[in-house]
């Protein structure tokens, strides 16, 4: 699997994503500086990492969504390439309209960083096949704007089409997200955005090892 | 174009002693200034003198006492005097760290004050070539019932999170305490730790004449003018009006500045580098000039202030030189590297301009609108700054507290719950959940488990740094010498408790007005106590910060010398936390049964004592500290301990409770006077006493023999079998009189709620 990580100004989980991809694929991903705008042609998976692109100024992900690299990102997605947006990456994917809905300020108004229990809603996706058999996983979250919001019709469609991949465990919604949504898929099932940080849960640190499944699933799929 | 001639006339007008006084230059300092300069200064020059000679920049009250600290050991690469301290952590790598206060700004504008405190300390670390890998903060607020406290907590915590989270450096440890003594002066001390290769460390010193001076980062605005001077004066009512002297942080730019500087540092373009912190362009240029030259003899600097990137129009030389706009660096480049350096900063859309060059004149020369507006020798600004031997009084000795004069409380379970829910002991989850603790992927253990020290892996290795911050201001108030010793010893203990070898400390000395002999006495004795502990424990000071004048309307804060400790774990698999205790494990104590209640959490919260009545703090025996810490480190190294915790605030009972909460288990603890050999009237001291150099640990039930063998080789270390670990559903049961089969029990849920509920409940209350 050939992978790439897009680096925006003030992305700050780009190295973590780089390490996670290298750990799983055995190869270093291409690190793509947003201004250069070039995603290597035969890339299977593009990761948009967490962080505070453009300082979250204006609105999370809004300025990154207008960066030179987004043209090639959209082309990659249109070709059916895989895209994983984590945290700020999820926010950027919503701003580029590659995913529906928007992420607004946490209901508590506070930034929240904690180990988060999630229910895996479907193990029948390119991003979650490795989780088959495990219904609940714990992956850390760290965000100020993780409150997923969309109109009811969109939410119904996402649920009806099996595109809600992760939900916050019942009663443990950390940010007020509609219908406890923590991660969703595009309609072709190739683009996923999620607020929790699987790259921080690859084993050997406080985050645990439950995030590994996302990357192992992609390795199988690509 | 404004009328430059009028501005120039204003800037170059000769100043008199009265104007000096307005700038905080006292009469004797004015004499000194005029003598050294051999004339009266103009306005720009006076402004520069006033910040360079401020307490904040010159350490004029503390310098002679700070020299008592040991600053070297086998691992120290750079001690105090540079931007941060540097220690050797093996394999050609170095840890670079420092702690710094942002107390005054945080009281006036808590969000920005705290945020820029984080930004400033990060710059101190990456200026030296280190990638920052951890942040720690030590916070002290006023009494929870004080009308300002809640909003100050909210603002400071949001500010620290807002900055640290954005730049992507994990905030892994810290402390948050409350006391009425901080009602008018909160303390916000931030520590940053970075990682560098030993052959890629950069210094402010060493610039030679004839090289370009390169300004990078944010543009200069009018914010923070005279911040260093403000930080060198007492507060009085209405000082909230000083808001314009508080800087505004931009963590986005800081993140870009980190990446750009580290990218430039990977080349060989930089001769010397200094961040623009307190006193901005003034202190950065003066410090690089003063420590310049091949042999540190000092050099000169000439700068054209018209070339300084400016955020607003019409700024004068005075404002440009004194601005404390954030996220700026000053670099002396090699002349043929200018284009390459500019290209790197252009990639990140950061301002980067050559604004002057280094000279051999020994003078700081500034021009604006083509005219010289400042021409002063550098040496008197730095080395020649005032260095006072302030008069000081021996702090009063207190009478020890007699534990026997106080009855053992009838409701011991309630007492334990009360202690675990006091503002100082209560869980600070509400605080640290607002900090990203996991970015960078190397956090092995953080505030999340309530441990003694955070454990942060050295990237892509099996080694880790242990990091902690400590001070018990109640001990320092009671006896500054013993309290100073204790702060250092506790850091040593906390690092040892995770299995790390303590290496060095950074300190943040927070005190009141040094011009008052009583306050000065606490400064002197605390430093001497700390110095003794540093010496005996081979735990030197490599960097630090002094924050004086923490005083409002004549009342000083409790003396608060905060210690930030750093230690090394050679093998992460040989570490311990509070988390690993399992049902069936044995519970063991190192050190004797508690006897000391003076100045403790128990004396304050349960006995309700205040001030003098609290008595003396627990004494620190440094030889015992060393011996017991080595026992614990060896125990962890031998792989015997499943969990380790030191015994500090709240004594043995609270220490066991914290392990039970972190490990989610119960415990049976035998503190029966009959069995453990102490008088029944001392049961409260046995449970809640804060005697020093003590730890508890757990070992697997089947490791009893191995433990016995381990202990046999160390007969001088007192070890006491306390009991065993049980299921969470069993809660804690303390056997307090075996003969009468008396016990008291506390359920884990009750304990958790006592510990967890106070802070969120407090913060969510609307006045």
């Amino acid at each position: 699997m050939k992978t790439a990580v897009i680096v925006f100004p003030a992305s700050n989980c780009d190295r973590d994503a780089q390490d996670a991809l290298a750990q799983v694929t055995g190869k270093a991903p291409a690190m793509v500086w947003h201004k250069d705008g070039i995603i290597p042609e035969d890339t299977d998976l593009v990761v948009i990492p967490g962080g505070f692109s453009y300082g979250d100024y204006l609105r999370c992900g809004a300025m990154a969504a207008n960066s030179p690299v987004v043209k090639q990102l959209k082309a990659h997605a249109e070709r059916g390439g895989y895209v994983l947006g984590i945290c700020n990456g999820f926010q950027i994917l919503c701003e580029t309209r590659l995913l529906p809905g928007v992420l607004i300020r946490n209901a508590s108004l506070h930034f929240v960083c904690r180990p988060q229990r999630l229910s895996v809603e479907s193990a029948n996706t390119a991003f979650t096949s490795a989780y088959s058999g495990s219904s609940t996983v714990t992956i850390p979250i760290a965000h100020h704007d993780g409150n997923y919001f969309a109109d009811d019709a969109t939410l119904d469609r996402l649920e009806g089409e099996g595109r809600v991949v992760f939900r916050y465990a019942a009663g443990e919604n950390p940010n007020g997200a509609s219908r406890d949504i923590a991660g969703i898929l595009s309609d072709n099932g190739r683009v996923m955005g999620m607020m929790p940080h699987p790259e921080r849960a690859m084993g050997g640190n406080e985050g645990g090892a439950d995030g590994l499944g996302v990357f192992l699933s992609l390795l199988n799929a690509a | 174009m404004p009328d430059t001639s009028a501005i120039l006339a204003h800037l170059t007008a000769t100043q008199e002693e009265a104007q000096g006084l307005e700038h905080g230059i006292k009469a004797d300092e004015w004499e000194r200034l005029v003598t050294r300069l051999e004339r009266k200064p103009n306005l720009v020059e006076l402004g520069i003198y006033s910040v360079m000679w401020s307490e904040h920049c010159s350490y004029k009250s503390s310098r002679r006492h700070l020299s008592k600290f040991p600053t070297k050991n086998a691992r120290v690469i750079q001690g105090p005097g540079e931007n941060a301290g540097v220690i050797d952590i093996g394999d050609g790598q170095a840890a670079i760290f420092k702690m710094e206060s942002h107390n005054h700004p945080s009281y006036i504008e808590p969000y920005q004050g705290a945020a820029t405190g984080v930004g400033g300390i990060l710059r101190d670390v990456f200026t030296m070539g280190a990638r920052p890998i951890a942040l720690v903060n030590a916070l002290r607020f006023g009494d929870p019932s004080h009308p300002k406290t809640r909003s100050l907590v909210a603002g400071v915590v949001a500010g620290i999170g807002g900055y640290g989270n954005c730049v992507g450096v994990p905030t892994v440890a810290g402390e948050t305490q409350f006391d009425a003594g901080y009602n008018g002066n909160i303390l916000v001390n931030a520590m940053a730790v970075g990682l560098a290769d030993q052959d890629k460390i950069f210094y402010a010193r060493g610039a030679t004449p004839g090289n370009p001076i390169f300004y990078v980062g944010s543009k200069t605005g009018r914010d923070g003018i005279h911040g260093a001077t403000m930080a060198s004066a007492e507060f009085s009512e209405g000082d909230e009006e000083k808001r314009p002297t508080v800087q505004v942080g931009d963590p986005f730019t800081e993140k870009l500045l980190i990446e750009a500087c580290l990218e430039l540092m990977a080349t060989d373009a930089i001769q010397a580098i200094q961040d623009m912190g307190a006193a901005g362009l003034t202190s950065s240029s003066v410090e690089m000039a003063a420590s310049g030259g091949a042999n540190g003899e000092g050099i000169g600097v000439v700068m054209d202030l018209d070339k300084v990137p400016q955020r607003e129009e019409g700024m004068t030389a005075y404002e440009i030189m004194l601005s404390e706009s954030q996220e700026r660096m000053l670099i002396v480049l090699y002349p043929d590297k200018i284009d390459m350096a500019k290209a790197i900063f252009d990639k990140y859309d950061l301002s980067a301009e050559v604004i002057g060059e280094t000279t051999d004149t020994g003078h700081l020369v500034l021009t604006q609108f083509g005219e010289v507006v400042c021409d002063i020798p550098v040496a008197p600004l730095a080395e020649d700054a005032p260095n006072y031997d302030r008069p000081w009084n021996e702090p009063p000795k207190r009478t020890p507290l007699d534990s026997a004069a106080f009855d053992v409380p009838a409701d011991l379970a309630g007492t334990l719950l009360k202690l675990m829910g006091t503002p100082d002991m209560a869980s600070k989850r509400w605080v640290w959940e607002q900090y990203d603790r996991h970015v960078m992927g190397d956090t092995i253990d953080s505030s999340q488990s309530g441990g003694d020290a955070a454990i942060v892996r050295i990237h892509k290795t099996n080694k880790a740094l242990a990091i902690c911050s400590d001070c018990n201001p109640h001990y320092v108030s009671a006896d500054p010498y013993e309290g100073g010793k204790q702060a250092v010893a506790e850091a040593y203990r906390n690092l040892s408790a995770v299995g790390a070898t303590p290496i060095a400390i950074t300190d943040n000395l927070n005190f009141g007005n040094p011009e008052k002999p009583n306050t000065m006495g606490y400064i002197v004795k605390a430093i001497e106590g700390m110095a003794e502990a540093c010496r005996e424990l081979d735990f030197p000071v490599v960097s630090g910060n002094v924050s004086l004048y923490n005083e409002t309307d004549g009342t000083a804060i409790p003396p608060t010398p905060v210690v930030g400790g750093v230690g090394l774990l050679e093998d992460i698999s040989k570490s311990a936390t509070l988390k690993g205790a399992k049902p069936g494990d044995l519970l063991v104590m190192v050190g004797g049964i508690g006897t000391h209640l003076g100045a403790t959490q128990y004396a304050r919260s349960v006995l309700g004592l205040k001030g003098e009545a609290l008595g003396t703090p627990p004494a620190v025996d440094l030889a015992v500290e060393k011996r017991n810490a080595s026992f614990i480190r060896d125990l962890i190294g031998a792989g015997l301990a499943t969990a380790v915790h030191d015994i500090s605030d709240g004594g043995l009972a609270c220490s066991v409770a914290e392990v039970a909460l972190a490990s989610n288990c119960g415990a049976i603890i035998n503190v029966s006077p009959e069995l453990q050999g102490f008088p029944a009237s001392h049961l409260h001291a046995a449970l809640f006493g804060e005697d020093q150099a003590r730890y508890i640990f757990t070992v697997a039930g089947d490791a009893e023999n191995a433990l016995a063998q381990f202990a046999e080789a160390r007969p001088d270390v007192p070890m006491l079998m306390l009991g065993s670990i049980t299921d969470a559903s069993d809660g804690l049961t303390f056997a307090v009189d075996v003969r009468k089969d008396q016990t008291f029990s506390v359920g884990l849920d009750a304990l958790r709620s006592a510990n967890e509920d106070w802070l969120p409940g407090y913060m969510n209350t609307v006045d």
Side-chain angles (χ1 to χ4, degrees):
Chain A
M1 180 168 67
K2 283 200 71 174
T3 63
V5 177
I6 300 180
V7 184
F8 290 101
S11 290
N12 65 26
C13 304
D14 45 326
R15 280 181 194 78
D16 304 353
Q18 182 181 19
D19 289 346
L21 290 169
Q23 179 184 333
V24 170
T25 67
K27 287 178 298 221
M31 301 302 284
V32 177
W33 178 240
H34 78 116
K35 260 202 239 175
D36 299 340
I38 313 285
I39 297 172
E41 250 180 33
D42 47 352
T43 300
D44 300 303
L45 165 68
V46 174
V47 174
I48 310 179
F52 284 71
S53 58
Y54 291 94
D56 277 359
Y57 298 153
L58 181 61
R59 197 172 65 237
C60 300
M63 291 207 266
N66 291 290
S67 148
V69 78
V70 169
K71 199 172 156 203
Q72 288 215 356
L73 173 69
K74 284 182 169 165
H76 169 85
E78 275 157 24
R79 275 200 301 274
Y82 290 109
V83 180
L84 170 62
I86 301 167
C87 199
N88 190 222
F90 187 9
Q91 294 161 347
I92 293 167
L93 288 173
C94 289
E95 287 287 338
T96 58
R97 310 315 298 159
L98 283 168
L99 290 174
V102 67
L103 292 144
I104 59 175
R105 182 122 298 194
N106 295 347
S108 67
L109 305 182
H110 294 305
F111 186 96
V112 59
C113 171
R114 64 167 70 135
Q116 177 68 47
R117 293 206 311 145
L118 302 170
S119 82
V120 182
E121 294 293 295
S122 165
N124 190 24
T125 80
F127 297 85
T128 52
S129 61
Y131 291 115
S132 66
S134 55
S135 55
T136 306
V137 294
T138 300
I139 298 179
I141 55 167
H143 58 249
H144 211 158
D145 299 84
N147 183 348
Y148 184 74
F149 183 84
D151 58 40
D152 282 335
T154 305
L155 294 169
D156 290 343
R157 202 175 73 240
L158 285 171
E159 289 185 334
E161 294 172 0
R163 288 163 57 191
V164 175
V165 190
F166 292 108
R167 276 189 225 268
Y168 303 113
E172 297 177 26
N173 185 334
N175 51 35
S178 304
R179 304 189 193 178
D180 298 332
I181 287 173
I184 56 167
L185 281 178
S186 61
D187 54 6
N188 71 355
R190 297 295 184 106
V191 179
M192 181 172 82
M194 63 189 294
M195 286 315 296
H197 284 271
E199 84 286 9
R200 296 183 180 187
M202 303 291 288
N205 62 20
E206 199 168 61
D210 282 359
L212 196 52
V214 170
F215 295 95
L216 290 175
S217 304
L218 282 162
L219 189 63
N220 269 332
Chain B
M1 193 70 185
D3 180 0
T4 57
S5 61
I7 295 174
L8 286 169
H10 170 68
L11 292 176
T12 55
T14 300
Q15 305 293 297
E16 301 298 333
E17 189 174 339
Q19 280 92 45
L21 209 55
E22 283 168 21
H23 277 77
I25 300 263
K26 309 212 161 125
D28 55 323
E29 293 170 351
W30 176 261
E31 291 276 304
R32 189 185 184 94
L33 192 168
V34 174
T35 314
R36 295 292 195 282
L37 195 56
E38 294 172 349
R39 62 177 168 83
K40 289 174 181 169
N42 70 26
L43 180 63
V44 177
E45 293 162 345
L46 176 61
I48 288 172
Y49 268 100
S50 79
V51 292
M52 287 308 296
W53 284 9
S54 70
E55 189 68 54
H56 192 82
C57 291
S58 75
Y59 296 97
K60 60 193 172 192
S61 301
S62 57
R63 224 165 354 143
R64 67 178 58 236
H65 298 290
L66 295 176
S67 67
K68 295 170 187 166
F69 284 137
T71 58
K72 292 188 175 75
N73 69 10
R75 286 193 180 267
V76 174
I77 294 173
Q78 174 68 51
E82 272 286 345
N83 282 299
V86 184
I87 57 172
D88 179 355
I89 55 170
D91 302 316
Q93 290 183 299
I96 300 186
F97 60 97
K98 188 182 178 185
M99 188 183 280
E100 196 163 78
S101 64
H102 235 211
N103 303 336
H104 293 75
S106 299
Y107 184 78
I108 293 176
E109 216 297 49
Y111 186 97
Q112 292 298 344
T116 54
V118 173
I121 196 63
L122 283 169
R123 281 193 296 286
D124 279 333
V125 160
F126 73 78
T127 301
M128 298 198 71
R131 176 170 287 283
I133 61 166
L135 285 165
V136 172
N137 51 75
L139 310 178
R140 282 168 178 87
F141 297 102
D143 190 285
S145 67
H146 188 272
K148 288 198 78 158
T149 300
R150 191 177 285 108
S151 66
L152 287 170
V153 174
V156 165
V157 170
I160 290 172
Y163 208 100
N165 297 341
C166 180
V167 296
V169 179
T171 299
V172 294
E175 36 177 359
T176 307
Q177 296 178 340
F178 299 85
D179 188 85
Y182 304 103
N183 281 352
N185 293 82
I186 62 171
L187 301 184
V188 175
N189 297 172
M191 171 177 173
V193 183
L195 190 64
D197 289 335
Q198 286 177 23
D199 58 0
K200 277 281 176 198
I201 295 172
F202 294 83
Y203 297 97
R205 62 174 182 255
T208 53
N211 291 316
I213 295 177
F214 195 51
Y215 169 116
V216 301
S218 287
K219 293 178 167 58
T220 296
R222 287 195 168 98
D223 46 334
I225 291 175
H226 270 306
T229 317
M230 172 185 77
S232 308
E234 282 183 41
F235 274 156
S236 52
E237 280 300 325
D239 270 6
E240 286 84 347
E241 299 309 314
K242 286 191 174 155
R243 225 171 244 125
T245 54
V246 177
Q247 315 83 334
V248 177
D250 176 4
F252 170 59
T253 299
E254 178 102 337
K255 169 67 175 164
L256 300 181
L257 196 57
I258 294 175
E259 299 304 330
C261 285
L262 291 178
E263 212 167 303
L264 181 62
M265 284 163 166
T267 71
D268 51 358
I270 298 173
Q271 191 180 40
I273 179 166
Q274 174 79 16
D275 74 302
M276 294 191 225
L281 193 50
T282 295
S283 68
S284 55
S285 57
V286 169
E287 282 164 22
M288 280 207 287
S291 61
N295 303 307
E297 67 276 18
I299 58 169
V301 161
V302 56
M303 295 192 291
D304 178 356
L305 300 183
D306 295 334
K307 293 197 174 136
V308 172
Q310 290 163 45
R311 198 184 298 152
E312 37 203 314
E313 282 180 18
M315 288 185 69
T316 67
Y318 179 91
E319 291 168 322
I320 293 168
M321 288 307 287
L322 299 188
S323 161
E324 292 191 5
S325 288
Q326 299 287 293
E327 294 92 24
R328 302 177 300 158
M329 307 283 256
L330 205 59
I331 302 174
V332 177
L333 284 177
Y334 292 106
D336 56 338
K337 305 291 183 186
I338 295 173
D339 291 344
M340 183 198 61
K342 276 195 168 172
I344 289 175
F345 287 91
D346 186 52
K347 170 182 168 184
Y348 292 98
D349 299 316
L350 292 169
S351 296
E353 294 294 336
V354 173
I355 63 167
E357 67 171 358
T358 50
T359 66
D360 59 5
T361 63
H363 275 234
L364 172 68
V365 180
L366 305 172
T367 63
Q368 189 176 30
F369 313 131
E371 301 255 344
V372 172
V373 294
C374 165
D375 184 350
I376 51 179
V378 168
L381 284 172
E383 297 103 67
D384 239 14
N387 182 0
Y388 293 122
D389 188 2
R390 303 253 190 226
W392 57 277
N393 296 335
E394 187 75 33
K397 290 271 180 249
R398 286 189 186 172
T399 312
L401 184 77
D402 178 12
S403 306
F406 299 92
D407 291 338
V408 174
D411 180 9
L412 287 166
T415 304
L416 175 57
L417 289 173
K418 179 174 184 171
L419 282 169
M420 290 296 286
T422 55
D424 282 354
M425 301 279 304
S427 164
K428 301 305 182 304
R429 179 183 300 275
W430 187 92
V431 173
W432 49 253
E433 277 202 344
Q434 296 188 51
Y435 304 149
D436 189 338
R437 305 179 299 284
H438 301 138
V439 63
M440 300 186 90
D442 288 317
T443 304
I444 307 295
D445 200 65
S446 73
S447 322
Q448 197 166 302
S449 70
D452 294 305
I455 303 174
V456 179
R457 177 172 42 213
I458 297 163
H459 198 57
K460 291 188 172 159
T461 73
N462 197 31
K463 302 195 300 183
L465 297 178
I467 307 166
C468 65
S469 94
D470 294 287
C471 177
N472 187 326
H474 305 284
Y475 293 175
V476 190
S477 298
D479 181 337
Y481 191 88
E482 282 300 309
K485 253 166 80 179
Q486 195 275 344
V488 175
E490 173 141 21
Y492 186 85
R493 200 180 309 147
N494 282 334
L495 298 176
S496 300
V498 302
T501 306
I503 295 183
I505 66 168
T506 179
D507 61 33
N508 204 137
L509 308 177
N510 307 278
F511 293 91
N513 183 347
E515 296 164 48
K516 296 182 180 169
N518 285 343
T519 301
M520 195 64 211
Y522 282 87
I523 299 174
V524 172
K525 297 314 281 185
I527 288 175
E528 289 177 353
M530 292 170 77
E532 190 202 339
C534 291
R535 218 165 23 243
E536 294 303 314
L537 300 172
D538 190 23
F539 200 31
V541 176
V542 294
S543 59
N545 171 247
V546 180
S547 173
L548 304 179
Y549 297 94
N550 291 290
E551 193 154 333
T552 297
D553 294 332
T555 307
I557 56 158
T560 315
V562 177
V563 171
V566 175
L568 181 65
L569 271 161
E570 293 282 0
D571 178 355
I572 290 171
S573 70
K574 298 207 168 84
S575 62
T577 66
L578 271 61
K579 285 183 295 196
K582 300 249 169 358
D585 285 2
L586 304 172
L587 177 63
V588 191
M589 177 163 76
V590 167
I593 281 283
T595 59
H596 189 97
L597 286 179
T600 60
Q601 188 71 50
Y602 180 87
R604 283 180 284 129
S605 307
V606 178
L607 301 180
L609 302 177
K610 284 193 169 80
E612 289 283 300
L614 282 164
T616 53
V620 179
D621 182 329
L622 295 165
V624 172
E625 280 298 344
K626 220 169 160 171
R627 183 194 70 195
N628 292 2
S630 141
F631 177 94
I632 286 292
R633 288 196 303 269
D634 290 349
L635 182 84
I636 296 168
L640 279 169
T642 52
V644 176
H645 190 15
D646 79 328
I647 299 178
S648 57
D649 295 18
L652 171 66
C654 290
S655 184
V656 174
E658 285 165 348
V659 169
L661 289 173
S663 294
N664 198 37
C665 63
I668 297 171
I669 310 100
N670 175 12
V671 274
S672 169
E674 182 77 358
L675 271 186
Q676 306 286 22
F678 63 90
S681 61
H682 279 62
L683 183 58
H684 46 4
L687 288 167
F688 308 116
E690 296 178 6
D691 303 56
Q692 298 292 293
R694 299 190 302 154
Y695 305 79
I696 53 170
F697 66 88
T698 56
V699 294
D702 58 12
E704 196 169 0
N705 288 340
L707 175 65
Q709 273 178 15
F710 177 87
E712 207 172 24
R714 295 160 182 82
D716 52 336
V717 176
M719 200 178 84
L720 212 57
M721 303 306 285
L722 279 181
S724 55
I725 300 298
T726 58
D727 287 327
S729 58
D730 297 333
L732 299 182
T733 300
F734 291 82
V736 291
D737 192 334
V738 176
R739 282 172 314 172
K740 296 182 193 151
D741 204 19
Q742 268 186 14
T743 63
F744 74 92
S745 298
V746 179
L748 203 60
D749 288 343
L751 198 60
R752 200 177 296 285
S753 120
N755 189 235
E756 292 285 356
D757 293 351
W758 179 76
L759 188 53
Y762 171 70
M763 292 308 298
N764 294 332
T765 305
V766 179
D767 284 318

